């Protein structure tokens, strides 16, 4: 068999494997234009209805990886697949939620959520119905007419999540969504978020959360990928099958935290 035929066969096998996952990133290498190599051979799989978290030291490449997973940045090598379909540009099926809360101050909660439906070809009535539905999912029924300045930080973040949900994506990519909230508000939203995202009413099939908060990821994730070293790669993968809601004071919870800490020793710089 020629080398070309081998390559085609490899790609077909890779694609067939990726088709079993909601999202699959295979063999990702990435450098910024200034030549800084962020990743070498990063592999991430998100299974059906799986909540995946990515942790790692600050500056290791977590936000960069989310942008690659969403098709916003093109890897130098490797491929991202959505149900086996190569992702080479942003798609409405994958939504990226940034850390900063983006609600428009001059629009009510309902209008903020309807905004994400305006670009789609739906009637105003349908858009309003979908927006009300999404606000109900995030627990904001009855608050549709409030303006952002009348809401707490947690409520604004819920509006941002409702807006993302209303667009009916298959995958949520979340970059430190709790980082700007005070601890009590963050705790309340963390407790709700899993049920919101995986409620039977949403079309979501997978979630990827980036966070530097290890307790947060053990509380939320099914699977935790640890990035470390320069260039970064996946140095550890920890499966969490504790029942929800999870108790951060339990022994099992702390054993998982210890496992994560072990992977997060100071980054090693590998010779290139
Ligand atoms: P994290 O989210 O883990 O804090 P980032 O993905 O933001 O890390 O950044 C990874 C690395 O890439 C950092 O060292 C950062 O300085 C560098 N970086 C980020 N954006 C750019 C860019 N546009 N050009 C060059 N380097 C960048």
């Amino acid at each position: 068999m020629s080398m070309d035929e081998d390559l085609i066969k490899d790609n077909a096998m890779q694609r067939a494997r990726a088709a079993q996952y909601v999202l699959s990133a295979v063999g990702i290498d990435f450098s910024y234009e200034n030549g800084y190599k962020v990743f070498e051979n990063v592999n991430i799989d998100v299974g059906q209805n799986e909540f995946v978290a990515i942790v790692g030291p600050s500056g290791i490449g977590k936000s960069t990886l989310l942008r690659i997973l969403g098709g916003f940045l093109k890897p130098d090598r490797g491929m991202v697949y959505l149900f086996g379909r190569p992702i080479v540009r942003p798609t409405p099926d994958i939504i990226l939620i940034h850390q900063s809360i983006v609600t428009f101050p001059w629009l009510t909660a309902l209008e903020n959520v309807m905004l994400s439906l305006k670009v789609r070809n739906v009637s105003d009535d349908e858009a309003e119905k979908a927006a009300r539905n999404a606000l109900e999912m995030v627990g904001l029924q009855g608050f549709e007419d409030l303006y952002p300045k009348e809401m707490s930080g947690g409520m604004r973040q819920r509006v941002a999540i409702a807006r993302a949900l209303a667009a009916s994506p298959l995958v949520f990519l979340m970059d430190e969504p709790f980082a700007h909230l005070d601890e009590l508000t963050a705790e309340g939203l963390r407790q709700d978020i899993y049920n919101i995202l995986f409620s039977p009413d949403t079309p979501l099939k997978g979630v990827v959360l980036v966070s530097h908060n290890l307790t947060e990821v053990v509380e939320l994730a099914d699977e935790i990928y640890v990035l470390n070293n320069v260039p970064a790669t996946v140095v550890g993968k920890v499966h969490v099958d504790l029942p929800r809601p999870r108790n951060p004071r339990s022994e099992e919870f702390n054993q998982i935290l210890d496992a994560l800490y072990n992977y997060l020793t100071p980054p090693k710089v590998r010779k290139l």
Side-chain angles (χ1 to χ4, degrees):
M1 200 185 284
S2 77
M3 252 171 72
D4 278 358
E5 281 171 345
D6 271 351
L7 208 64
I8 290 167
K9 213 170 159 188
D10 278 358
N11 281 343
M13 276 170 66
Q14 184 173 306
R15 215 173 146 159
R17 180 191 170 279
Q20 298 166 16
Y21 294 95
V22 176
L23 202 64
S24 184
V26 188
I28 303 293
D29 285 7
F30 179 79
S31 301
Y32 276 111
E33 275 166 15
N34 60 5
Y36 181 73
K37 187 164 190 186
V38 188
F39 297 123
E40 190 172 82
N41 195 25
V42 168
N43 296 285
I44 306 268
D45 292 320
V46 182
Q48 293 272 353
N49 288 337
E50 217 170 43
F51 196 121
V52 166
I54 297 171
V55 296
S58 180
I60 207 76
K62 300 182 295 295
S63 301
T64 305
L65 185 55
L66 275 196
R67 283 188 283 149
I68 292 173
L69 292 177
F72 300 96
L73 285 176
K74 190 181 168 321
D76 303 326
R77 198 181 69 88
M79 185 61 81
V80 177
Y81 298 94
L82 178 70
F83 290 104
R85 175 165 58 91
I87 294 296
V88 290
R89 64 182 68 84
T91 150
D93 288 334
I94 305 178
I95 275 200
L96 177 59
I97 298 188
H98 294 278
Q99 4 189 313
S100 50
I101 297 163
V102 276
T103 45
F104 297 101
W106 60 90
L107 298 177
T108 63
L110 184 67
E111 289 163 346
N112 262 289
V113 177
M114 282 175 69
L115 207 60
S116 73
L117 296 147
K118 286 260 159 71
V119 286
R120 302 211 164 186
N121 219 354
V122 292
S123 70
D124 282 359
D125 277 0
E126 271 177 84
E128 184 175 333
K129 201 168 151 221
R132 284 187 187 279
N133 222 341
L135 282 167
E136 189 181 336
M137 272 191 259
V138 300
L140 288 182
Q141 196 175 21
F143 299 98
E144 292 87 351
D145 297 329
L146 291 193
Y147 286 91
K149 67 171 187 302
E150 300 167 306
M151 301 175 200
S152 66
M155 288 166 83
R156 281 199 291 274
Q157 191 66 317
R158 282 172 195 258
V159 171
I161 291 169
R163 189 167 60 208
L165 282 174
S168 300
L170 298 173
V171 177
F172 250 33
L173 305 175
M174 300 200 290
D175 195 347
E176 302 271 8
F178 309 102
H180 292 297
L181 302 175
D182 65 82
E183 189 39 41
L184 275 179
T185 305
E187 183 53 35
L189 190 53
R190 268 199 295 267
Q191 281 182 6
D192 283 356
I193 196 94
Y194 187 88
N195 291 334
I196 291 171
L197 297 183
F198 289 118
S199 98
D201 302 334
T202 79
L204 266 190
K205 294 285 182 285
V207 174
V208 183
L209 166 78
V210 154
S211 176
H212 67 276
N213 180 336
L214 298 187
T215 307
E216 174 172 299
V217 303
V218 179
E219 208 173 315
L220 289 173
D222 299 303
E223 208 73 61
I224 303 170
Y225 287 81
V226 185
L227 290 178
N228 209 350
N229 300 341
V230 180
T233 193
V234 175
V235 295
K237 194 177 155 194
V238 177
H239 180 66
V240 190
D241 59 5
L242 303 176
R244 294 181 170 85
R246 295 170 177 166
N247 176 7
R249 292 197 190 82
S250 76
E251 197 177 315
E252 297 88 341
F253 195 104
N254 282 284
Q255 278 167 357
I256 294 171
L257 272 183
D258 284 348
L260 291 177
Y261 276 115
N262 273 335
Y263 288 122
L264 287 167
T265 50
K268 290 189 201 70
V269 177
R270 283 180 283 143
K271 280 217 179 86
L272 291 179

